[in-house]
Amino acid sequence: MKPDSLIFDMDGTLWDAVDTYAYSWTQVLKDNGINKILTREELESYMGMEMKQIFDKVIPDASAETVEKLYNDVIKKEHEVISEMGGKIYPGVLEGLEELSGRYKLFMLSNCQEGGIKDFMNYTETKYLFTDYMEYGMNFQPKHINLKILIDRHNLKNPMYVGDTDSDRKQCELVHVPFVFISWGFGNTEKYALRFDKMQELTDYFMHLDKE
């Protein structure tokens, strides 16, 4: 069945900004007297998690008050540095989004902090391509709840979610949304409705569907 909309994950799907995130986290930890360097490898293993779940991994013994302060500090730091450091946009993403937006409603849904998607859109100058978006930081709800919010808000009948982790797949199953797995990101899964290894392949597939 041809979808009426495509909902994209951000990190690991559209771009890789892990180096920027790791720098931001490490600076905030240092500024708060915590002697820990968050490496790219460690942070990459947490990608796809909700932000406060990552804090449980990075500083498991921290108090709730400390986590709340660090959470807000990390958000502020990421907003400051993302405009300069940005992220690595995966090959074919910008061209693909431009093409797909002419025939589908496009959305973004991420477990990032509030403002993370806006930072991405500003850096890549892609805001005009998307109808709407939801972030974990807006309401601190899991991805399937925010997916349902987008579906209900825009009366979507046949949405598909494009992501890179098995947790994305599980969240989609909770609201019966077909999951499109892309293999160039941070995760892996053996269950999906569709799989693509390049953004160009994904773009060609959905553009061809429109002509059937």
Side-chain angles (χ1 to χ4, degrees):
M1 181 180 294
K2 178 178 173 289
D4 63 348
S5 53
L6 297 173
I7 305 173
F8 286 88
D9 177 44
M10 181 174 69
D11 293 307
T13 299
L14 301 180
W15 77 347
D16 175 354
V18 174
D19 290 335
T20 301
Y21 300 150
Y23 171 82
S24 300
W25 279 66
T26 298
Q27 289 300 306
V28 166
L29 293 174
K30 179 181 178 181
D31 292 344
N32 283 272
I34 300 173
N35 185 26
K36 177 177 176 59
I37 296 175
L38 187 61
T39 66
R40 174 188 172 86
E41 290 72 25
E42 181 180 358
L43 185 55
E44 187 173 320
S45 71
Y46 304 146
M47 296 306 294
M49 293 183 181
E50 296 163 5
M51 195 167 174
K52 290 190 176 180
Q53 291 177 328
I54 299 177
F55 274 107
D56 290 339
K57 298 286 188 180
V58 175
I59 44 173
D61 299 325
S63 67
E65 292 78 12
T66 297
V67 168
E68 188 65 25
K69 181 181 186 305
L70 293 173
Y71 176 84
N72 291 322
D73 288 352
V74 167
I75 290 175
K76 182 179 179 181
K77 177 61 71 173
E78 287 187 356
H79 287 329
E80 289 175 358
V81 302
I82 203 77
S83 61
E84 296 181 5
M85 296 180 65
K88 176 185 175 183
I89 303 164
Y90 293 115
V93 162
L94 297 183
E95 300 86 348
L97 292 175
E98 181 82 41
E99 194 170 357
L100 290 166
S101 69
R103 296 186 178 180
Y104 297 92
K105 290 182 178 179
L106 302 186
F107 300 85
M108 287 182 67
L109 171 61
S110 172
N111 277 335
C112 67
Q113 76 284 359
E114 186 172 9
I117 288 179
K118 185 176 180 180
D119 288 339
F120 168 85
M121 290 180 175
N122 288 339
Y123 186 80
T124 58
E125 299 181 342
T126 54
K127 181 179 179 180
Y128 70 101
L129 300 177
F130 294 94
T131 299
D132 199 0
Y133 64 89
M134 283 295 297
E135 303 161 316
Y136 167 76
M138 288 177 167
N139 57 8
F140 304 106
Q141 293 297 311
K143 190 169 279 188
H144 75 277
I145 297 295
N146 287 331
L147 185 53
K148 187 68 164 55
I149 287 173
L150 286 175
I151 291 170
D152 291 344
R153 181 185 294 165
H154 297 279
N155 194 30
L156 304 180
K157 302 301 183 184
N158 299 303
M160 299 188 82
Y161 185 78
V162 182
D164 67 313
T165 67
D166 192 56
S167 62
D168 286 337
R169 188 267 306 173
K170 291 176 180 177
Q171 292 292 306
C172 288
E173 285 187 351
L174 292 173
V175 285
H176 309 291
V177 171
F179 175 61
V180 179
F181 174 63
I182 54 88
S183 64
W184 58 81
F186 302 125
N188 196 14
T189 184
E190 298 301 322
K191 296 181 180 180
Y192 43 77
L194 295 167
R195 172 190 168 126
F196 298 99
D197 298 321
K198 296 179 180 179
M199 183 65 180
Q200 186 62 57
E201 293 175 358
L202 182 151
T203 302
D204 290 345
Y205 176 85
F206 284 109
M207 294 304 290
H208 180 70
L209 274 184
D210 198 63
K211 297 177 181 179
E212 292 183 349

